[in-house]
Amino acid sequence: MSVIQFGVFDHLDHNGLLLADFYEQRLKLAEAYDRVGIHVYLTAEHHATPLGMSPSPSVFHSAVAQRTRRLKFGPLVYTLALYHPLRLAEEICMLDHMSRGRFQLGVGRGISPYELQYYGVDPQEAHARYVESFQIVMNALKQAQTDQPQLSFTGQFYQFDQVPLSLTPFQNPHPPLWYGIGDPNGVDWCVANRCNVVGNAPLDRIRVITDRYRQTWVEAGHDLHDIPLMGTTRHIVIGRNEHEAHRWAREAYSHWHRSFMHLWNINGTRPGNMFPADWDELVAAGRALAGTPETVREELLRQIEVSGVNFILTRFAFGTLPFEQSLQSVELFAQEVMPYITERLVEPQAH
């Protein structure tokens, strides 16, 4: 695997288009990611908010599977507390086969208490439901590939007795796992499950996570060359001049931020992971980049070296960015940013 990989993250936040046109544009972007060599396309799951027009990730990704050929893809994350785990295990198997092994499996409990409540889930139970559902899904995917493909389980929320498992995943023992991480204490679990991780923390905190991941990975007896992806996300807008890129970005981000805050605002609260309302503040915090390919690649290279990541998860489509502008960013990124960065990086070592 390359020293650095590049992916795309998409909330699929509403931009005012007719939804039929919105989905078609996102699928055309997925085709572009596939064409230019983006490694993976990951999408969010949200409910009852303009932040997420893909509340059923499996439905959207079934279309991605048919419109792409090389691109890996999946949810970051399935909100496991909202799913019946047996049905989800079946959907995972379907998507893994429909893509011939390109499906990626992101898991989490969900960050919005309001979305959980709308589905009748007590936010206080969300973590316990997530843990139990994850165990069931993993057991089902693995057990389906044995000589006795059936599942028995007794837990707090679910009980199963010798349920036949008729679907198996394409990848053995299951699609690669993905997890959102902000606390270095979560590294041990991620290493034990060979989990790819993505964080939104400041660069110095991301560095603590990546250093600890490398050290724990080696201590577990694994080869550093086989280490999973460890990344961070960035809103990115690339233009032929600085002014154009920042102008598009400011307007689009303002719309995206209103969608991000929608449920929190109507409930009079604030999320723990707070994005600043102003684009320039986001840039100053190192969480977004806009400008020419030269400007973007120099700053991104610096951030990669400081944080120790081996993966950058970009946001090329957000808010009211026109489709043509997102596509331009993708093409310039692939032509003038990705190869520049790849040529200049060396493999970080475990400390």
Side-chain angles (χ1 to χ4, degrees):
M1 180 179 290
S2 171
V3 172
I4 187 76
Q5 292 284 358
F6 301 95
V8 173
F9 180 72
D10 194 353
H11 273 103
L12 289 105
D13 53 305
H14 205 351
N15 60 8
L17 288 180
L18 179 71
L19 277 180
D21 297 329
F22 171 88
Y23 293 134
E24 179 60 23
Q25 287 189 358
R26 284 310 209 264
L27 290 170
K28 286 181 178 177
L29 284 174
E31 292 175 337
Y33 306 149
D34 191 39
R35 183 176 65 252
V36 304
I38 292 292
H39 179 68
V40 65
Y41 176 44
L42 301 168
T43 67
E45 175 185 340
H46 286 289
H47 303 269
T49 169
L51 184 62
M53 294 293 101
S54 180
S56 179
S58 295
V59 173
F60 181 73
H61 285 298
S62 65
V64 174
Q66 300 307 301
R67 299 279 288 262
T68 59
R69 292 294 175 265
R70 298 179 300 167
L71 183 69
K72 300 179 188 297
F73 62 87
L76 188 67
V77 297
Y78 278 129
T79 305
L80 291 189
L82 301 183
Y83 287 85
H84 191 291
L86 278 186
R87 181 175 184 123
L88 182 58
E90 292 173 333
E91 291 182 10
I92 291 166
C93 290
M94 291 177 65
L95 287 164
D96 205 23
H97 278 275
M98 290 169 70
S99 64
R100 293 190 176 271
R102 292 183 287 130
F103 187 66
Q104 310 288 290
L105 177 53
V107 295
R109 65 180 180 87
I111 63 170
S112 171
Y114 309 112
E115 296 177 41
L116 296 170
Q117 289 170 342
Y118 295 151
Y119 272 69
V121 173
D122 182 350
Q124 300 300 317
E125 293 182 352
H127 182 73
R129 285 184 174 274
Y130 154 70
V131 170
E132 187 167 310
S133 292
F134 176 74
Q135 184 178 354
I136 293 167
V137 169
M138 290 295 100
N139 287 352
L141 295 177
K142 294 173 183 177
Q143 194 64 27
Q145 301 174 76
T146 68
D147 293 335
Q148 294 183 319
Q150 59 186 26
L151 178 70
S152 295
F153 182 88
T154 301
Q156 179 182 356
F157 305 103
Y158 298 100
Q159 296 80 39
F160 305 112
D161 183 22
Q162 297 183 338
V163 177
L165 301 170
S166 57
L167 280 77
T168 62
F170 187 94
Q171 300 174 84
N172 184 11
H174 54 73
L177 294 173
W178 289 79
Y179 186 72
I181 190 169
D183 184 350
N185 291 323
V187 165
D188 291 353
W189 181 89
C190 294
V191 169
N193 288 276
R194 295 177 173 265
C195 196
N196 303 287
V197 296
V198 178
N200 283 322
L203 293 180
D204 56 349
R205 190 171 181 83
I206 294 292
R207 186 67 197 220
V208 173
I209 291 171
T210 58
D211 282 349
R212 181 163 173 176
Y213 204 120
R214 286 186 173 91
Q215 179 180 350
T216 307
W217 183 260
V218 170
E219 290 173 350
H222 304 312
D223 190 324
L224 264 182
H225 291 94
D226 297 327
I227 197 168
L229 296 177
M230 306 168 291
T232 189
T233 64
R234 292 292 180 267
H235 290 76
I236 296 181
V237 179
I238 306 177
R240 287 301 180 184
N241 64 72
E242 301 285 330
H243 175 74
E244 173 193 74
H246 280 282
R247 178 172 59 85
W248 283 116
R250 287 188 186 99
E251 181 178 340
Y253 179 76
S254 177
H255 187 94
W256 178 88
H257 191 267
R258 287 195 296 273
S259 295
F260 179 81
M261 293 298 299
H262 177 74
L263 289 181
W264 303 95
N265 283 338
I266 65 177
N267 285 279
T269 57
R270 289 290 182 267
N273 181 19
M274 186 70 177
F275 281 84
D278 181 73
W279 169 260
D280 293 299
E281 287 184 41
L282 191 72
V283 172
R287 301 173 70 179
L289 300 92
T292 64
E294 294 79 11
T295 300
V296 169
R297 70 194 188 190
E298 291 295 343
E299 174 59 17
L300 194 56
L301 180 60
R302 184 194 72 82
Q303 293 187 13
I304 291 168
E305 292 174 334
V306 169
S307 63
V309 298
N310 61 3
F311 178 60
I312 290 293
L313 195 56
T314 61
R315 287 186 178 94
F316 289 125
F318 58 90
T320 52
L321 269 180
F323 168 76
E324 294 77 14
Q325 177 59 51
S326 293
L327 186 59
Q328 175 182 260
S329 292
V330 172
E331 292 173 343
L332 290 175
F333 189 80
Q335 294 166 6
E336 302 186 39
V337 178
M338 287 168 54
Y340 178 89
I341 291 176
T342 301
E343 290 169 3
R344 284 160 177 77
L345 288 180
V346 295
E347 185 71 53
Q349 300 301 308
H351 286 213

